[in-house]
Amino acid sequence: MGPLSREQLDAYIRARLALAGFDLEKLPEEADPATGVPTRAQALASLRSFVASTPAALASWAPPASSAASAQQGAVPLLYPSIDEARGGRR
């Protein structure tokens, strides 16, 4: 799967904002230097840049394990019955 197009990123961002309860249409269309509130286009461009670059880095991050118990909880769960049980002869 290739990178998302600009329209696909915009649709994704608008959907995520809507799920979070934020209406992008409430932002002004014109810049207001008195308040400094970003315009819709500025906010969408910033979010598009973030979504296109950052989530892959966040998805691969895992906190360092401080103990064996926390390392076990951070491990990917195995399917049941796991292949590890078959290797060990348990059924």
Side-chain angles (χ1 to χ4, degrees):
M1 185 172 153
L4 299 177
S5 69
R6 182 180 173 143
E7 291 77 22
Q8 290 172 322
L9 281 174
D10 289 352
Y12 172 77
I13 292 166
R14 289 180 187 276
R16 295 294 301 213
L17 289 175
L19 288 173
F22 182 80
D23 185 6
L24 193 62
E25 301 301 319
K26 290 184 177 179
L27 292 177
E29 288 187 41
E30 304 279 331
D32 183 5
T35 62
V37 175
T39 64
R40 286 181 212 156
Q42 289 171 328
L44 198 54
S46 176
L47 290 169
R48 194 180 308 118
S49 173
F50 173 80
V51 169
S53 62
T54 307
L58 292 176
S60 63
W61 181 85
S66 59
S67 66
S70 65
Q72 183 181 15
Q73 290 181 0
V76 177
L78 299 173
L79 295 177
Y80 182 82
S82 77
I83 193 168
D84 289 340
E85 288 182 3
R87 286 182 194 151
R90 292 182 289 166
R91 297 250 168 177

